[in-house]
Amino acid sequence: MTTTDAPAGLTYLRPATATAAELSERFQPIFDRIAEGTVAREKDRIFPHDQVQWLKDAGFGRVRIPVELGGFGASLEQTFALLADLAEADANVSHIWRNHLAFVEDRLNAAPSQTNDRWIQRFLAGEFVGGGWTEANNGTFANLKTTVRGNGDGWLVSGAKFYATGSLYADWLDVLGKGDGDTVLTALVRRDDPGVRLVDDWNGFGQRTTASGSATYTDVPAAEGDVFPAGERFVYQGHFYQTAVLAVLTGITRAALRDGTSALKARGRNYPQALDPDPTRDAQLLQVIGQVSVYAFAAGAALRAAGHAIDLVAAAHASGDEVLRKQRVLEAEVATVHAQLAIIDAALQATTTVFDALGASGVSETLLLDRHWRNARTLASHNPRVYKARILGDWIVNGADPVPDLTFTHRGGQGN
């Protein structure tokens, strides 16, 4: 699959050149290494700084950058598949990469310039971007309290944010705020600037080591080339952010299948009502594992469909065909909403149903199988699914536009 056949020069996007086998060969050994300590990190809330660094060192942050520019040339479908594989190893580590990969995507969609060349070089050097968009109780751009004020040749950023996912692992923070004249800007500021204060106060019961706490900014400088109009961010950013979450949920679903299967194999006895004294030969318990495998299969299929649809938006954007781009955006919205409903249902069902194949030992804190449900439920709350089937039905029956009102900070992010 190609990202775009557009002439070089419109954007940094190029035809995808990586194969799934090549990407897996490079990154799966690191994912496997990350998986080794997942339960211990979850149990003791140990932040995976080393694990994130392993991925930085391996070039995971440049997976979408074209090969001729120094990256790996992956498609979006391949990128989301990698995030799912990483989430199967550790759902927290996978989620940490969401904001970075989204900002890389934004710069790849931009027209080539010295400013963007500089950002490409930063990505190639392993510099990492964390998030800083969401404010407590704000749903629209109009309610933003954070400011990005002009200051000579640069800008000053002041405000407070929450859900700053990945911030403690970052070199840069991507901050949304109001500029002069109430324009909405996104500014990239240095994580280590003395005006930046990050607090690990995320108190959710899942995704506990993603560094999704609060951040405050006090007159933090941003250079001219590091501030961008929010309205010019890449057209499919909402789809990207949402599908990144769905990739993590897909990985969690697979992890539930993996760990449930291992726990069933480890059972030494069965209940008196069982069909067989050997749990691994009990047809009803095997049926449970088979059903969980269906949930994992469905999640993977939905993720591939959503990733493919977003690849088509990227290609349309790079081609410069505005009519085609609008059509692809609509198709990607429908595909992403379908995927959201399918994957969330699969993840929540799998992470609950799997316990039916296990005995009382399945709830042991040694296994910590509850982490799969806690993480899935937390991620499923980012962008409430309660509205989505209604939106699909309105589009199918009445032709109502399913694409969201972009006056909202629609990034598939947390709502509060």
Side-chain angles (χ1 to χ4, degrees):
M1 181 174 62
T2 62
T3 302
T4 176
D5 296 319
L10 290 178
T11 70
Y12 293 83
L13 294 169
R14 300 288 187 274
T17 54
T19 68
E22 291 168 341
L23 294 169
S24 180
E25 182 179 4
R26 183 172 185 88
F27 294 112
Q28 190 59 50
I30 303 170
F31 299 166
D32 293 341
R33 187 180 173 198
I34 288 170
E36 292 172 2
T38 299
V39 173
R41 288 192 299 275
E42 177 78 16
K43 186 176 299 183
D44 297 326
R45 200 164 184 263
I46 299 170
F47 278 52
H49 289 284
D50 290 342
Q51 290 71 25
V52 173
Q53 189 62 51
W54 298 343
L55 291 165
K56 290 181 184 179
D57 293 343
F60 194 65
R62 53 189 167 94
V63 67
R64 274 282 289 156
I65 296 174
V67 171
E68 60 266 39
L69 297 180
F72 294 103
S75 69
L76 285 164
E77 185 178 338
Q78 290 169 333
T79 300
F80 294 130
L82 285 173
L83 282 175
D85 292 342
L86 176 55
E88 186 176 353
D90 189 319
N92 290 279
V93 176
S94 185
H95 192 194
I96 286 164
W97 282 88
R98 178 174 175 246
N99 287 305
H100 174 85
L101 294 173
F103 186 68
V104 172
E105 195 69 19
D106 185 64
R107 294 301 88 203
L108 292 177
N109 273 263
S113 66
Q114 288 185 346
T115 292
N116 286 323
D117 287 344
R118 185 164 62 248
W119 273 107
I120 296 295
Q121 291 306 310
R122 288 169 176 165
F123 300 146
L124 296 178
E127 296 187 29
F128 186 80
V129 178
W133 278 46
T134 306
E135 296 178 2
N137 301 315
N138 89 286
T140 70
F141 288 155
N143 296 334
L144 286 172
K145 300 295 189 295
T146 300
T147 60
V148 182
R149 310 185 316 273
N151 181 46
D153 294 334
W155 306 80
L156 292 175
V157 179
S158 295
K161 299 289 184 179
F162 196 52
Y163 302 131
T165 300
S167 56
L168 296 181
Y169 310 94
D171 302 291
W172 296 87
L173 300 170
D174 182 1
V175 186
L176 187 75
K178 280 191 177 180
D180 301 327
D182 281 347
T183 57
V184 180
L185 302 172
T186 179
L188 275 293
V189 301
R190 291 279 186 181
R191 150 79 176 86
D192 58 3
D193 187 275
V196 175
R197 181 171 180 264
L198 302 176
V199 180
D200 173 28
D201 56 357
W202 167 243
N203 62 358
F205 58 60
Q207 297 298 98
R208 300 193 310 153
T209 62
T210 57
S212 296
S214 59
T216 57
Y217 306 90
T218 305
D219 290 335
V220 182
E224 181 68 29
D226 299 333
V227 176
F228 313 94
E232 295 178 8
R233 294 293 289 260
F234 68 114
V235 67
Y236 51 93
Q237 69 170 331
H239 305 126
F240 186 102
Y241 280 103
Q242 180 62 62
T243 306
V245 168
L246 299 180
V248 182
L249 283 162
T250 298
I252 291 170
T253 308
R254 287 193 213 140
L257 173 62
R258 176 201 65 208
D259 292 347
T261 301
S262 295
L264 176 59
K265 289 180 177 180
R267 284 185 63 176
R269 57 185 180 144
N270 212 349
Y271 289 106
Q273 303 93 333
L275 299 178
D276 194 291
D278 181 350
T280 64
R281 296 183 181 278
D282 186 322
Q284 286 186 276
L285 303 185
L286 295 176
Q287 181 178 351
V288 171
I289 296 299
Q291 183 60 55
V292 173
S293 78
V294 172
Y295 294 136
F297 177 85
L303 181 67
R304 287 191 296 274
H308 178 69
I310 304 171
D311 266 319
L312 296 179
V313 181
H317 171 66
S319 74
D321 187 332
E322 182 64 20
V323 174
L324 180 61
R325 187 181 78 162
K326 288 183 178 179
Q327 178 60 31
R328 296 301 193 205
V329 167
L330 186 149
E331 292 167 356
E333 181 67 21
V334 172
T336 304
V337 172
H338 273 125
Q340 182 187 7
L341 292 169
I343 292 173
I344 288 176
D345 184 64
L348 295 179
Q349 291 287 349
T351 55
T352 300
T353 302
V354 70
F355 286 95
D356 290 337
L358 311 177
S361 60
V363 300
S364 166
E365 289 193 356
T366 301
L367 296 177
L368 218 64
L369 295 183
D370 63 300
R371 76 186 188 276
H372 297 314
W373 181 86
R374 288 187 290 101
N375 290 336
R377 182 62 267 177
T378 299
L379 287 164
S381 300
H382 278 41
N383 190 358
R385 60 176 173 159
V386 65
Y387 309 115
K388 301 305 174 73
R390 183 205 76 223
I391 290 169
L392 284 175
D394 202 12
W395 174 67
I396 292 167
V397 176
N398 301 314
D401 188 352
V403 178
D405 181 355
L406 295 182
T407 59
F408 282 79
T409 54
H410 178 76
R411 307 167 77 227
Q414 288 102 321
N416 56 329

